Amino acid sequence: GAGVSQSPSNKVTEKGKDVELRCDPISGHTALYWYRQRLGQGLEFLIYFQGNSAPDKSGLPSDRFSAERTGESVSTLTIQRTQQEDSAVYLCASSLWGFEPQHFGDGTRLSIL
Amino acid sequence: EDQVTQSPEALRLQEGESSSLNCSYTVSGLRGLFWYRQDPGKGPEFLFTLYSAGEEKEKERLKATLTKKESFLHITAPKPEDSATYLCAAPVEGGSEKLVFGKGTKLTVNP
C-alpha cells in the first residue's frame, strides 16, 4: 500500500524566502508528526496532530514555523523568512493513533543559500 | 529532561561478527521504546516496539531487549545489507505521544 509521501523531495531557496512543505499521510492514520533532522543529528520533534484535537506545537523553534492539517489528510509545514540554520531534512510521519508505531516519509531536504 | 542516549555513535563489523547496540533512557514510567532503521536519504523504518522490562522481539538477524534502564539491539551474524543507522526513541513523560529520539548508531558491515 501507499506509504507517507512528502513533496518536494528537495528544495533550494534563498535566505529570506518562504517555503511550504507537504505531507500526505497513510490513509486512515489519525496522528501526524513533523520532525527536523540536521546533518549528523537525531530527529527533533516539531509538531504533532491527533485527529481534531488542538495540535501540540511545543517543538516549533520560532514563530517563523507553522503547520496545518486538514482533517486527517494532508499537512503543510510553512517556514517564513528562511534562515541558513533552517537547512535540514524535514521528515513527516503518521500513525494509526498517537501511540502506534510511526511510519515516515523520505523527507524534504531543504537548503537555504 | 527526558533523554535517550545511544552508543556507540558508530560501529564497524565484519560480516558474520555479532555485536550489540545500546540505548539508555532517563524517561521514568517508560510506556514503550521504539527501534528504527534509517538508510541514507530515507526516512526511518520501524523495527520494534518494546513495552516492559524483560520483553524481547526478533526479526531476522535482529533481536531487541529491554531492561528498566536500557535497551539493546543485538545483531547476529550481520550481513552488509544490515549497514544503516539504527535509532531508538521513547515517549516523553506525562502521557504525551511525542517521541524523543537518540542520535543513532551508524552500523557498517564489511563483506
Side-chain angles (χ1 to χ4, degrees), chain B residues 54-85:
Chain B
E55 187 175 1
E56 299 183 352
K57 288 193 176 173
E58 288 188 65
K59 180 180 179 180
E60 296 181 356
R61 295 175 293 281
L62 301 176
K63 182 169 78 172
T65 62
L66 183 66
T67 72
K68 288 186 178 180
K69 292 186 177 182
E70 57 193 351
S71 178
F72 293 94
L73 185 65
H74 308 277
I75 303 176
T76 302
K79 298 182 177 182
E81 53 261 43
D82 295 322
S83 297
T85 295

Side-chain angles (χ1 to χ4, degrees), chain B residues 21-68:
Chain B
L21 313 182
N22 177 265
C23 171
S24 63
Y25 53 88
T26 58
V27 177
S28 62
L30 188 71
R31 295 174 290 125
L33 188 129
F34 298 84
W35 281 98
Y36 288 84
R37 168 189 171 131
Q38 187 173 25
D39 292 296
K42 300 289 187 180
E45 174 189 349
F46 170 73
L47 293 174
F48 304 109
T49 309
L50 301 168
Y51 291 103
S52 58
E55 187 175 1
E56 299 183 352
K57 288 193 176 173
E58 288 188 65
K59 180 180 179 180
E60 296 181 356
R61 295 175 293 281
L62 301 176
K63 182 169 78 172
T65 62
L66 183 66
T67 72
K68 288 186 178 180

Side-chain angles (χ1 to χ4, degrees), chain A residues 33 35 37 40-45 48 50 56 58-59 91 97-107 109, chain B residues 31-34 36 38 40-46 48-49 51 87 91 96-104:
Chain A
Y33 305 77
Y35 294 90
Q37 187 173 33
Q41 300 297 309
L43 275 69
E44 176 187 0
F45 168 80
Y48 161 53
Q50 173 62 64
D56 180 344
S58 60
L91 290 160
W97 55 277
F99 201 57
E100 286 291 301
Q102 297 177 24
H103 299 267
F104 285 81
D106 286 336
R109 183 175 300 276
Chain B
R31 295 174 290 125
L33 188 129
F34 298 84
Y36 288 84
Q38 187 173 25
K42 300 289 187 180
E45 174 189 349
F46 170 73
F48 304 109
T49 309
Y51 291 103
L87 302 169
S96 170
E97 287 80 17
K98 292 191 303 189
L99 295 181
V100 57
F101 279 81
K103 293 184 178 181

